[in-house]
């Protein structure tokens, strides 16, 4: 045990935090960073300037606490989402991670459970530990799919207080059909379960993939979480949000810290939401690079999953750890999500994507066989 871990072990840490690892996606100084599903395009200059101007204005009022109800932001988020949602259906926090944490603080906690379906977003078990909520790992089929029948059966049997469905799912990238959300919501009726659909990557969905926002009317236990970290290219601003029945926001008011959204954060997000079209202009380009990655990986004989997101999860690697290291040596950082034979890569700019594909081909090109149907 390292010196620091020994010191930590002596502290009166809560038992359920002992021995667990903190969130730790590597932050390395590498030319091509494709490991945490950011939007790698820089902000358009006009938007950057608009944010800087509005933040400068907000700075004149920094001696006062910010609007605790972030009224303008909720209005702008409701207008962006549409679907008949009103400001009272919206809530926001510092990243959708904080939104999820607040939901677990309000509806989870000691003696309560939260269920999700691994492989899925690695923060869910950590948010469970942090809020002293017991984590239940549901199951997917061998090809990482989750059907309505299987999910509903598992929710009925586990009767969790909270279910988190990640759609599109991180790390696999594939969206769930709304039939899964509806089935889980119905299965959670007996246990009065809160059902969260984490749609962090919704803007990158393939044509025909529907958002769970359409299911909110009449479902007071359903919460859809979103973020400005991905499609909006604002990961550094830390702004996540949710849409749900207004009483969900009332519950979160009980656990949020006073004035949790700083005036600078509100000004940044509001300025960005005045320029939605300019900000989302990169989404089509990213989807194009994502589809290019999928096609090229198939050509290399690898097995990419269907992706509704800005990243691609792929298998078929003999030694994924070696390939991860080889890519890093070539200046490309991707994500090893701990599933043997698989890696996950974010779709970057055209140049970044080319760097990844060329480095990968140099590593596996000679050994991989074409996937069935893709010969020649
Ligand atoms: C599925 C999913 N949900 C939520 C988040 C958290 O995003 P943020 O806290 O930046 O809004 C991420 C980040 O990678 C994610 O992949």
């Amino acid at each position: 045990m390292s010196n620091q871990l020994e010191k930590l072990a002596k502290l009166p840490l809560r038992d359920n935090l002992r021995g667990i690892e903190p969130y730790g996606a590597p932050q390395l100084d590498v030319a091509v960073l494709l490991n945490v599903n950011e939007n790698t395009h820089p902000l358009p200059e006009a938007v950057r300037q608009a944010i800087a101007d509005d933040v400068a204005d907000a700075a004149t009022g920094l001696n006062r606490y910010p609007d605790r109800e972030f009224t303008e932001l909720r209005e702008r988020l409701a207008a962006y989402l549409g679907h008949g949602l009103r400001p009272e259906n919206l809530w926001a926090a510092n990243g959708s991670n904080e939104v999820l944490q607040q939901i677990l603080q309000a509806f989870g906690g000691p003696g309560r459970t939260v269920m999700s379906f691994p492989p899925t977003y690695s923060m869910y078990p950590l948010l469970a530990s942090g809020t002293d909520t017991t984590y239940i790992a549901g199951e997917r089929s061998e090809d990482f799919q989750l059907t309505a029948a299987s999910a509903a059966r598992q929710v009925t049997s586990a009767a969790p207080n909270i279910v988190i469905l990640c759609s599109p799912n991180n790390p696999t990238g594939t969206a769930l059909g709304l039939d899964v959300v509806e089935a889980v919501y119905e299965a959670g009726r007996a246990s009065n379960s809160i059902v969260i659909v984490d749609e962090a990557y919704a803007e990158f969905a393939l044509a025909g993939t529907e958002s769970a926002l359409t299911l909110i009317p009449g479902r007071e236990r359903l919460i859809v979480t979103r973020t400005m970290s991905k499609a909006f290219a604002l990961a550094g601003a830390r702004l996540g949000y949710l849409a749900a029945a207004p009483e969900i926001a009332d519950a979160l008011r009980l656990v949020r810290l006073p004035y949790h959204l700083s005036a600078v954060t509100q000004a940044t997000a509001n300025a960005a939401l005045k320029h939605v079209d300019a900000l989302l202009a990169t989404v089509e380009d990213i989807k194009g690079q994502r589809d290019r990655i999928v096609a090229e990986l198939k050509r290399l004989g690898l097995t990419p999953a269907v992706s509704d997101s800005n990243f691609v999860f792929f298998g078929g690697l003999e030694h994924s750890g070696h390939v991860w290291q080889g890519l890093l040596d070539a200046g490309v950082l991707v994500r090893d999500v701990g599933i043997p034979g698989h890696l996950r890569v974010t779709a970057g700019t055209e140049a970044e994507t080319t760097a990844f594909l060329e480095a990968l081909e140099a590593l596996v090109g000679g050994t991989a066989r074409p996937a069935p149907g893709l010969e020649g």
Side-chain angles (χ1 to χ4, degrees):
M1 207 189 292
S2 75
N3 197 15
Q4 200 175 337
L5 282 181
E6 268 177 40
K7 287 183 182 166
L8 172 62
K10 286 184 189 150
L11 290 176
L13 194 63
R14 286 190 350 233
D15 286 343
N16 71 323
L17 295 181
R18 287 189 185 277
I20 65 170
E21 296 279 337
Y23 178 83
Q27 287 197 303
L28 303 179
D29 188 12
V30 172
V32 181
L33 288 169
L34 301 176
N35 70 325
V36 284
N37 301 339
E38 294 150 329
N39 182 333
T40 68
H41 293 69
L43 289 184
E45 176 52 25
V47 182
R48 198 193 60 72
Q49 193 55 55
I51 291 174
D53 291 347
D54 285 7
V55 168
D57 281 350
T60 61
L62 284 181
N63 56 315
R64 299 285 183 186
Y65 284 114
D67 174 9
R68 200 170 46 216
E69 286 297 309
F70 41 100
T71 317
E72 181 184 343
L73 180 57
R74 293 162 82 208
E75 283 165 4
R76 289 192 182 280
L77 289 170
Y80 165 64
L81 287 182
H83 291 278
L85 292 162
R86 302 187 47 76
E88 53 268 34
N89 297 110
L90 271 291
W91 182 257
N94 297 282
S96 52
N97 278 317
E98 189 180 67
V99 174
L100 292 167
Q101 184 180 50
Q102 291 178 345
I103 299 169
L104 265 70
Q105 285 176 314
F107 298 105
R112 293 188 167 216
T113 57
V114 57
M115 179 176 203
S116 69
F117 297 86
T120 191
Y121 183 39
S122 60
M123 275 304 295
Y124 301 151
L126 286 178
L127 290 165
S129 319
T131 57
D132 211 349
T133 309
T134 300
Y135 181 72
I136 302 174
E139 284 177 3
R140 290 172 183 260
S141 61
E142 255 175 41
D143 59 353
F144 309 118
Q145 302 294 319
L146 184 63
T147 63
S150 162
R153 182 179 40 74
Q154 294 183 63
V155 167
T156 301
S157 132
N161 299 98
I162 304 167
V163 186
I164 310 180
L165 298 171
C166 191
S167 179
N169 185 48
N170 181 3
T172 55
T174 316
L176 291 169
L178 291 191
D179 60 326
V180 181
V181 180
E182 287 173 299
V184 164
Y185 190 86
E186 284 315 308
R189 197 174 282 283
S191 44
N192 206 19
S193 311
I194 293 288
V195 178
I196 304 169
V197 186
D198 179 346
E199 292 192 350
Y201 301 94
E203 286 89 349
F204 299 103
L206 294 164
T209 299
E210 276 187 292
S211 164
L213 290 172
T214 56
L215 300 179
I216 289 176
R219 290 185 177 85
E220 68 289 344
R221 293 179 287 109
L222 181 65
I223 302 175
V224 179
T225 58
R226 295 276 188 108
T227 182
M228 295 183 79
S229 296
K230 310 296 179 181
F232 280 87
L234 284 175
R238 310 305 300 127
L239 199 289
Y241 56 102
L242 66 72
E247 55 269 36
I248 294 287
D250 289 335
L252 302 192
R253 282 188 182 89
L254 301 172
V255 296
R256 62 96 174 266
L257 296 175
Y259 316 105
H260 68 287
L261 273 184
S262 83
V264 171
T265 305
Q266 293 187 42
T268 304
N270 281 325
L273 287 162
K274 289 178 203 162
H275 296 87
V276 170
D277 290 346
L279 272 175
L280 296 188
T282 57
V283 167
E284 283 310 311
D285 188 54
I286 294 165
K287 285 165 72 175
Q289 296 307 317
R290 175 215 41 215
D291 295 342
R292 176 181 165 216
I293 294 173
V294 170
E296 285 295 300
L297 294 181
K298 285 184 183 166
R299 187 180 64 77
L300 290 174
L302 301 171
T303 52
V306 173
S307 177
D308 281 281
S309 47
N310 67 341
F311 57 89
V312 179
F313 175 74
F314 59 99
L317 298 167
E318 251 177 70
H319 301 291
S320 45
H322 292 174
V323 174
W324 182 87
Q325 186 61 52
L327 289 168
L328 184 57
D329 294 343
V332 181
L333 182 60
V334 301
R335 191 70 172 270
D336 182 349
V337 291
I339 301 174
H342 292 75
L343 291 173
R344 190 194 73 190
V345 61
T346 308
T349 60
E350 185 175 0
E352 290 167 330
T353 304
T354 301
F356 160 70
L357 290 170
E358 287 181 356
L360 184 71
E361 184 156 10
L363 289 165
V364 306
T367 52
R369 279 178 293 108
L374 289 166
E375 292 87 348

